[in-house]
Amino acid sequence: MFTGLSAFPLTPITGERVDERAFAGLIERLADAGVDSITALGSTGSYAYLSREERAAVARLAVRGAGAVPVMAGIGALRTRHVLEAAEDAQNAGVAAVLLAPLSYQALTEEDVVGLYETVTANLSVPLVVYDNPGTTHFTFTDELYARIAGLPRVASIKIPGVPAKRDEAAARIARLRASLPAGVTVGVSGDALASTGLNAGCQAWYSVIGGTLPQVALEITRAAERGEPGAATEASQRLQPLWDLFARHGSLRVISAIAELLGLVGRPNLPLPIRGLGDAARSEVAGVVDRLRLR
Amino acid sequence: MFTGLSAFPLTPITGERVDERAFAGLIERLADAGVDSITALGSTGSYAYLSREERAAVARLAVRGAGAVPVMAGIGALRTRHVLEAAEDAQNAGVAAVLLAPLSYQALTEEDVVGLYETVTANLSVPLVVYDNPGTTHFTFTDELYARIAGLPRVASIKIPGVPAKRDEAAARIARLRASLPAGVTVGVSGDALASTGLNAGCQAWYSVIGGTLPQVALEITRAAERGEPGAATEASQRLQPLWDLFARHGSLRVISAIAELLGLVGRPNLPLPIRGLGDAARSEVAGVVDRLRLR
């Protein structure tokens, strides 16, 4: 479950409510495409904005719709107590694993973060993915901290925020990181633009934004890397360069939200306020790229 | 209400629950000291970590205990819907004003933030303080954005994150900012170490961490500046330099939490997990400074 393509679907929000029908449609699409796992309630799934009740409902819908595909759910919250509640709800919903980022308002120390993961893993009965996303959490892991937390029971994988762009540097980075982790703990790349680089460098999983909305495109890259065809993985990713450029300019969430709208998968708007979708000019650019790359 | 000393009390949390008795004691202490306003549920009051019910209860306790002293309450949340709920609860509790920071998980655009303040002020019946705290929100205001938001109905004050350390530069900064704002909107300084500099430079209010736990010390600085005795304000602040050094090293929240413990005002621990209080070595340093400066 902690290898291959993990697809991160949007949680579409329309009229301040989760659009459960559209969400169920996204999950069905992912299950049909044959992704290796579905991570509901990732950053792309806006977990940090949802109420406890909404998160529980989304986890239940994902498990129900995913069939045989394992479902993971993000359980992050600013307060440890609320993380434990989200973990309980996700497990009651039947998720196969949970994903935990150290959210911060006040800056966290390393000891705070170790304490968080100790408390949460001690109260879990499913595996946990360590979710390192400094752009949203404003907490920076060191490799020593990864290793310390990876030694806790139930830690199964680490979602790293990216790899160096150069092939040799990426390979060295992943080799160094893997050497410091217990053998059973996988390393998964995020940051879609460099995912092919990460997979070719030895990352065993891709925790993927585009995988949640454009699973076929993400599977093409993933399967090529898995077959030991790094050139094919790189080429498939390079074809998407106009999409990576949009991600860099507008952020992956707003762009993937607009793509899902354009494909008719979700309504408009679909992000939780105060986050607004892209303006008309940026949406036109996105529509142009969707057409040109024949994204679907 | 948007001038002078606004004191930001801790919300003591013990055993994962708000210690309502200790909180009521903090409020009584502030009312007795004669602060100009009390801001419950500021960053020092850990608003971002509390449930809706806890926040409502804290706002009610603050209003009940403050007597004639006006109470403001922080209403920030990641999602606009939750901000509106907190605003409703705070107003039902009887607060005189609310304080709103643009919390972020996904990075916010200027348009997102303008939309947030537009929606919230359109639904408010009390004044609002714009709370600029980039260290926790990871959103940076420009002066143009301040001016745009200050033009909305019910915006009464802006809490700025600090001023330049040099007297002339601070005065120029505040003059420039005030010139761009509507006449009725006050500017309040935060960042306690430079509060005397800010007040001497023309800030009309001090939104104060130490004011919430050490009101006499904060009032001495505030009243000197208000009397037009900048030298006395500066001296009173300089005497606290060992305290400012601790704030710089450990963060104001963890230090003021330890001080409140040492003065017997709150229990230990009193911060919301995952945030841990200071370790033993740092606590000893704090105890030394409390003794040396005779803080009480």
Side-chain angles (χ1 to χ4, degrees):
Chain A
M1 172 171 33
F2 306 105
T3 57
L5 179 69
S6 192
F8 280 55
L10 291 158
T11 305
I13 299 189
T14 303
E16 288 300 307
R17 294 183 164 276
V18 173
D19 182 344
E20 298 197 349
R21 218 175 110 145
F23 181 74
L26 291 174
I27 297 297
E28 194 183 330
R29 176 177 165 89
L30 298 178
D32 288 349
V35 300
D36 298 303
S37 67
I38 294 171
T39 303
L41 299 165
S43 292
T44 306
S46 293
Y47 73 98
Y49 299 86
L50 303 184
S51 68
R52 178 175 183 180
E53 293 70 27
E54 288 171 327
R55 292 169 73 152
V58 167
R60 284 193 298 269
L61 280 171
V63 171
R64 194 182 308 156
V69 179
V71 171
M72 306 195 238
I75 59 168
L78 287 172
R79 186 161 165 199
T80 302
R81 187 177 115 182
H82 299 151
V83 176
L84 293 172
E85 290 172 354
E88 187 186 337
D89 295 344
Q91 290 177 100
N92 287 339
V95 302
V98 296
L99 187 80
L100 175 59
L103 262 67
S104 68
Y105 178 78
Q106 299 284 348
L108 296 176
T109 66
E110 288 214 349
E111 293 310 310
D112 293 340
V113 171
V114 169
L116 170 67
Y117 283 96
E118 280 175 350
T119 301
V120 172
T121 54
N123 284 277
L124 269 186
S125 51
V126 297
L128 177 140
V129 178
V130 176
Y131 187 3
D132 180 6
N133 192 352
T136 57
T137 65
H138 306 287
F139 178 80
T140 300
F141 284 84
T142 61
D143 283 4
E144 292 67 35
L145 185 59
Y146 280 153
R148 210 170 144 195
I149 292 174
L152 293 172
R154 277 170 288 282
V155 173
S157 183
I158 298 182
K159 175 183 178 295
I160 62 171
V163 293
K166 289 191 181 160
R167 198 167 54 177
D168 295 355
E169 289 173 20
R173 164 80 190 111
I174 299 305
R176 197 169 62 242
L177 178 55
R178 292 195 44 71
S180 72
L181 298 177
V185 173
T186 71
V187 173
V189 66
S190 61
D192 285 0
L194 289 174
S196 62
T197 310
L199 291 168
N200 288 339
C203 290
Q204 298 120 305
W206 175 15
Y207 295 107
S208 173
V209 172
I210 67 163
T213 299
L214 303 167
Q216 297 299 355
V217 180
L219 280 167
E220 188 188 347
I221 295 171
T222 308
R223 298 298 179 238
E226 288 176 337
R227 283 193 310 268
E229 298 173 14
T234 303
E235 270 171 43
S237 178
Q238 281 172 345
R239 275 202 301 277
L240 301 175
Q241 190 59 45
L243 182 58
W244 309 145
D245 292 343
L246 290 170
F247 276 24
R249 275 218 303 291
H250 304 294
S252 62
L253 178 67
R254 288 173 169 88
V255 173
I256 207 72
S257 151
I259 291 175
E261 279 173 33
L262 291 161
L263 297 184
L265 302 172
V266 301
R268 176 183 182 187
N270 60 72
L271 297 175
L273 287 173
I275 304 171
R276 305 189 159 210
L278 295 179
D280 288 338
R283 284 174 56 84
S284 297
E285 288 178 66
V286 173
V289 169
V290 167
D291 274 357
R292 194 144 30 106
L293 300 180
R294 300 172 194 277
L295 299 177
R296 58 179 57 89
Chain B
M1 174 174 26
F2 306 104
T3 58
L5 179 68
S6 192
F8 280 53
L10 291 158
T11 304
I13 299 190
T14 303
E16 287 301 305
R17 294 182 164 277
V18 174
D19 181 345
E20 298 198 349
R21 217 174 113 145
F23 181 74
L26 292 173
I27 297 297
E28 194 183 331
R29 175 176 165 90
L30 299 178
D32 288 350
V35 300
D36 298 303
S37 66
I38 294 171
T39 303
L41 300 164
S43 292
T44 305
S46 293
Y47 74 98
Y49 299 86
L50 305 183
S51 68
R52 178 175 183 180
E53 293 70 28
E54 287 172 328
R55 292 169 72 153
V58 167
R60 285 193 297 269
L61 279 171
V63 170
R64 193 182 309 156
V69 179
V71 170
M72 306 195 238
I75 59 169
L78 288 172
R79 185 160 165 201
T80 301
R81 187 178 114 183
H82 300 150
V83 176
L84 293 172
E85 290 172 355
E88 187 186 337
D89 294 343
Q91 290 177 101
N92 287 340
V95 303
V98 296
L99 188 82
L100 176 58
L103 262 66
S104 68
Y105 178 78
Q106 298 284 349
L108 296 176
T109 66
E110 288 214 348
E111 293 311 309
D112 293 339
V113 170
V114 169
L116 170 68
Y117 283 96
E118 279 175 350
T119 301
V120 172
T121 54
N123 284 278
L124 269 186
S125 52
V126 298
L128 177 140
V129 179
V130 176
Y131 187 2
D132 181 6
N133 191 351
T136 56
T137 65
H138 305 286
F139 178 80
T140 300
F141 284 85
T142 61
D143 283 6
E144 292 66 34
L145 186 60
Y146 281 153
R148 211 171 145 195
I149 292 173
L152 294 171
R154 277 169 289 282
V155 174
S157 184
I158 297 182
K159 175 183 179 294
I160 62 170
V163 292
K166 288 190 181 162
R167 198 167 56 177
D168 294 357
E169 290 173 20
R173 164 79 191 114
I174 299 305
R176 197 170 61 242
L177 178 56
R178 292 195 45 70
S180 72
L181 299 176
V185 173
T186 70
V187 173
V189 67
S190 61
D192 285 0
L194 289 174
S196 63
T197 309
L199 291 167
N200 288 339
C203 290
Q204 298 121 304
W206 175 13
Y207 296 107
S208 174
V209 173
I210 66 163
T213 299
L214 303 167
Q216 297 298 355
V217 180
L219 279 166
E220 188 188 347
I221 296 171
T222 309
R223 298 299 179 238
E226 287 175 339
R227 283 194 310 268
E229 298 173 14
T234 303
E235 270 171 44
S237 177
Q238 282 172 345
R239 275 203 302 276
L240 301 175
Q241 191 57 47
L243 182 58
W244 308 145
D245 292 342
L246 290 170
F247 276 24
R249 274 219 302 291
H250 304 293
S252 61
L253 178 67
R254 288 173 169 89
V255 173
I256 207 71
S257 151
I259 291 174
E261 279 172 33
L262 290 161
L263 297 183
L265 302 172
V266 301
R268 177 183 183 188
N270 61 73
L271 297 175
L273 287 172
I275 304 170
R276 306 189 160 211
L278 295 179
D280 289 338
R283 285 174 57 85
S284 296
E285 288 177 66
V286 173
V289 169
V290 167
D291 273 358
R292 194 143 32 104
L293 300 180
R294 298 173 195 279
L295 298 177
R296 60 179 56 90

